Amino acid sequence: MKIHEYQAKAILERHGVPVPRGEVAFKASEAGEIARRLGGSVVVVKAQIHAGGRGKGGGVKLARSPDDAEKLARNMIGMTLKTRQTGPAERVVSGVLIGEGLQMTREPYLSLVLDRSSGMYVLIASASDGWDIEQVAE
């Protein structure tokens, strides 16, 4: 099963897990509207593709205003991202998650992935963030 980050957050929220506020935008104008609703001085604009490593590929940016969020979304929606997890193929960004900006004191990482060679799920957890998670997992 492949789900996007915004879909995973909705599932977690339905089951009582606290998640940062955010909404998905499929048009740049929607991104600006969402940023206005969220308020605050910073929102994060995150490309929604089925792969990790989006930040390193240019798919995660901070916006300091609703207009900035709209501009970033305009640049991201329709772009292609190639990351370590996409392999040689690129993925087209059809939507972006606009999330509230938070001052993080820690950022643990948790992922459930299918190991196709064994046909089993593998739980990957790290006390640090998900940057370079492949090296952390090794």
Side-chain angles (χ1 to χ4, degrees), residues 76-136:
M76 277 188 208
I77 296 172
M79 75 182 270
T80 56
L81 275 178
K82 182 179 174 183
T83 73
R84 180 177 172 145
Q85 291 185 14
T86 64
E90 295 180 333
R91 303 279 166 82
V92 176
V93 177
S94 60
V96 292
L97 173 63
I98 309 300
E100 68 179 325
L102 299 173
Q103 184 63 42
M104 305 298 291
T105 56
R106 60 187 195 99
E107 191 174 352
Y109 177 86
L110 181 66
S111 176
L112 184 63
V113 296
L114 175 62
D115 178 356
R116 295 186 188 280
S117 64
S118 68
M120 299 178 73
Y121 287 100
V122 176
L123 184 67
I124 301 172
S126 173
S128 61
D129 61 31
W131 286 87
D132 296 317
I133 193 63
E134 291 86 0
Q135 285 77 25
V136 172

Side-chain angles (χ1 to χ4, degrees), residues 42-45 60-64 68 72 101:
V42 175
V43 296
V44 63
V45 181
V60 178
K61 304 276 186 185
L62 295 178
R64 306 222 178 268
D68 194 22
L72 290 170

